Amino acid sequence: MNEMNFTVGGAPVDVADRFTVINPSTGDAAGTAPNAGLEELDRAVAAAAAAFPEWAAKSDAERQEACRAVTAKLQENAEELARLITLEQGKPLNGLGSRWEMGGAAAWAGHTAELSLPEKVLQDNDEGRVTLRRKPLGVVGSITPWNFPVMIAVWHILPALRTGNTVVIKPSPLTPLATLRAVEIMNEVLPKGVVTCITSDDRKANIGAAMAAHPEIRKIVFTGSCGTGQKIMATASDTMKRLTLEMGGNDAGIVLPDVDPEAIAEGLFWGAFINNGQTCAAMKRLYVHADVHDAVCEALVAFARNIPVGDGLDETSILGPVQNEAQFDKLSNLVSRAAAKGKVLLGGKPGEGLFFPPTLIAGLDNGDALVDEEQFGPALAIIRCESVEEMLEKANASPYGLGGSVWSSDIPAARELAARMDCGSVWINKHGAIQPNAPFGGVKSSGLGVEFGEEGLAEYTDIQVIFS
Ligand code: NAD
């Protein structure tokens, strides 16, 4: 059993109340975490506020070195963290699972360490010199979901630290263990109070909501559902917090008639089923031109039926269970309604425990719940369309706008179509392939602001202009 704790300002915190974290593969306890309340939150924020002046005053090179040291720590401890992620999140060690997540976490941390936001000279002439500099904000509150517990923590923490802020992070109550351990490891190379992880079951106190309201937190970076993001935005207005909100998506893929169905089947599958579909920018609706519809369905089924699904700790598993019961019930409901109308090509019925087989359902359309809602699980809705314009119109008819993809052998034509999709990222002949040097964020209800690259880094700063 993993009995995790947290420290505040370098001192262990004794929280008598603890909550149990469940391994979704078995239903057994994966470990326990401290069930903190508002008092512990205030202490964590006070420690972060106390650490801020010294951290912000460090030279850019010193902070860069510290972020490199954090990256090295994540690499050194990758296997231990991967096993914790698998235990509490359910994703397999292998495939695009927890070892892959740790590879991503280290890659993002390393890239972020090398980024910088140098002062810009806007004007330097007889009339004067005008310079633009970036100032850290203060204490950043990070609130994370349960699908990529360590990678998303790194996406929030590293750019905040790199730019001179201090951080209080609150992971999902469903997956707190790996984040607690990752922050403990980071603290081996960071000054006291610079990063604190605080955990709660969300029942004793809603720590996330309290962070959004906290007067000493200057920014919230949030990854999670649209409903929660909207609440945070409303609350944060009282203290004029800066916000980065990475919220839900219902990404569409558009398959043009010139594709080779067998050649794209693997990419289509992983675009939709990465992390068992529990990925914000996974493909959740697939619009396929009638000319290739049947062949694409056949190729997808042929690829998907061979994917081993099982306990994440089994080295042969490539997909694991759904992470939690609420998500499982939501998925089961959407799939059973879709199965009643459409044609189930693969899967379609819940398995044992929280296992749900990869499911492909054709014969659906906009207006069907599995098409319109974010299923966030291993089920893909396939919609047959007669024209490219119909596919584009249906893809854009959504309140979400996170990612999208176009599948075609004519890259220039695919790029033109991509530019007409209403979403923050569009991939051609792949889906969801985010990278640390490219800004990522949602339009419409999918969020506010971006992460990654210089644009993402800048979101952890205020602009100050000096006229001399
Ligand atoms: P969620 O919104 O239920 O929870 C996310 C976090 O918010 C948790 O830590 C939770 O404890 C906290 N929280 C709960 N109530 C709160 C409140 N009132 N104020 C502040 N914080 C509160 O989301 P989830 O179910 O953990 O994650 C799944 C969702 O996350 C999906 O919709 C998915 O699309 C989205 N997601 C988005 C991205 C992205 O980058 N856009 C990435 C991953 C996941």
Side-chain angles (χ1 to χ4, degrees):
M1 268 270 272
N2 299 284
E3 308 267 343
M4 298 291 175
N5 286 301
F6 62 79
T7 58
V8 169
V13 176
D14 188 15
V15 181
D17 190 14
R18 304 186 65 82
F19 63 99
T20 303
V21 181
I22 300 297
N23 173 352
S25 286
T26 60
D28 297 336
T32 68
N35 197 11
L38 298 178
E39 188 196 326
E40 284 85 16
L41 173 65
D42 281 343
R43 280 167 66 187
V45 175
F52 173 67
E54 206 174 310
W55 181 249
K58 281 192 186 297
S59 71
D60 197 58
E62 282 173 309
R63 281 200 302 269
Q64 183 165 55
E65 263 324 302
C67 290
R68 285 179 183 148
V70 167
T71 307
K73 278 277 160 196
L74 289 169
Q75 281 164 333
E76 273 166 39
N77 295 279
E79 182 64 16
E80 180 198 344
L81 289 167
R83 286 184 173 275
L84 271 178
I85 294 171
T86 292
L87 258 185
E88 64 180 350
Q89 204 285 334
K91 68 182 71 180
L93 292 167
N94 289 317
L96 299 176
S98 58
R99 288 180 181 137
W100 180 84
E101 176 172 344
M102 283 312 302
W108 254 271
H111 184 84
T112 308
E114 302 313 315
L115 289 173
S116 59
L117 296 170
E119 195 171 280
K120 275 189 194 162
V121 179
L122 304 180
Q123 177 189 313
D124 192 9
N125 58 21
D126 294 347
E127 282 158 31
R129 182 177 165 90
V130 181
T131 51
L132 181 157
R133 55 192 298 271
R134 297 264 173 189
K135 293 185 77 169
L137 303 166
V139 179
V140 170
S142 148
I143 303 174
T144 56
W146 47 261
N147 56 347
F148 289 94
V150 174
M151 191 146 73
I152 293 179
V154 164
W155 291 350
H156 291 186
I157 293 171
L158 266 291
L161 297 188
R162 182 70 192 85
T163 43
N165 304 278
T166 55
V167 181
V168 174
I169 179 169
K170 191 211 80 68
S172 164
L174 297 163
T175 53
L177 304 176
T179 315
L180 279 166
R181 182 67 186 129
V183 169
E184 193 171 63
I185 288 164
M186 290 180 190
N187 270 296
E188 290 172 15
V189 291
L190 290 172
K192 289 182 178 54
V194 167
V195 185
T196 305
C197 179
I198 177 162
T199 54
S200 143
D201 69 358
D202 274 3
R203 286 191 276 265
K204 178 170 157 186
N206 191 327
I207 296 290
M211 287 167 77
H214 204 291
E216 279 191 88
I217 293 182
R218 294 305 316 133
K219 173 190 171 89
I220 294 285
V221 50
F222 166 78
T223 304
S225 63
C226 290
T228 307
Q230 285 171 326
K231 283 185 202 159
I232 290 172
M233 191 170 180
T235 307
S237 70
D238 285 344
T239 43
M240 280 304 289
K241 283 185 179 56
R242 276 53 185 145
L243 294 173
T244 303
L245 303 174
E246 296 289 0
M247 290 141 70
N250 194 13
D251 288 11
I254 294 180
V255 181
L256 300 187
D258 62 1
V259 296
D260 171 350
E262 280 179 26
I264 63 168
E266 182 173 356
L268 285 176
F269 179 82
W270 286 116
F273 290 86
I274 175 173
N275 203 28
N276 234 358
Q278 301 166 122
T279 305
C280 53
M283 192 166 63
K284 291 162 182 142
R285 318 173 268 155
L286 185 61
Y287 297 93
V288 187
H289 195 279
D291 288 1
V292 287
H293 175 272
D294 293 356
V296 166
C297 288
E298 257 170 54
L300 252 177
V301 170
F303 183 82
R305 67 155 48 104
N306 295 320
I307 301 295
V309 181
D311 187 323
L313 288 175
D314 181 338
E315 296 277 351
T316 62
S317 299
I318 296 296
L319 287 178
V322 172
Q323 203 279 331
N324 61 77
E325 215 175 308
Q327 196 58 48
F328 185 85
D329 291 346
K330 179 182 176 193
L331 174 71
S332 304
N333 179 275
L334 287 172
V335 167
S336 80
R337 286 160 70 190
K341 179 195 173 192
K343 182 172 177 206
V344 177
L345 305 175
L346 190 70
K349 288 214 163 59
E352 293 283 303
L354 292 179
F355 287 92
F356 205 106
T359 291
L360 297 165
I361 305 186
L364 300 174
D365 205 347
N366 283 24
D368 294 324
L370 186 64
V371 180
D372 291 355
E373 292 179 32
E374 187 194 28
Q375 66 272 38
F376 218 60
L380 179 64
I382 302 172
I383 303 105
R384 179 192 181 109
C385 295
E386 298 302 324
S387 70
V388 174
E389 288 305 315
E390 181 191 350
M391 292 195 280
L392 180 69
E393 192 183 312
K394 288 184 170 169
N396 282 343
S398 168
Y400 298 102
L402 195 54
S405 56
V406 178
W407 302 74
S408 170
S409 52
D410 182 347
I411 304 298
R415 283 204 192 107
E416 275 183 31
L417 194 62
R420 295 172 64 201
M421 290 186 80
D422 294 338
C423 47
S425 305
V426 189
W427 293 274
I428 293 170
N429 293 330
K430 52 191 173 185
H431 194 111
I434 51 172
Q435 49 191 64
N437 59 350
F440 172 73
V443 301
K444 299 196 277 185
S445 291
S446 286
L448 188 73
V450 293
E451 296 189 277
F452 319 152
E454 276 177 22
E455 293 81 358
L457 200 63
E459 296 213 2
Y460 291 84
T461 62
D462 275 335
I463 287 177
Q464 183 181 52
V465 180
I466 297 182
F467 303 81
S468 58

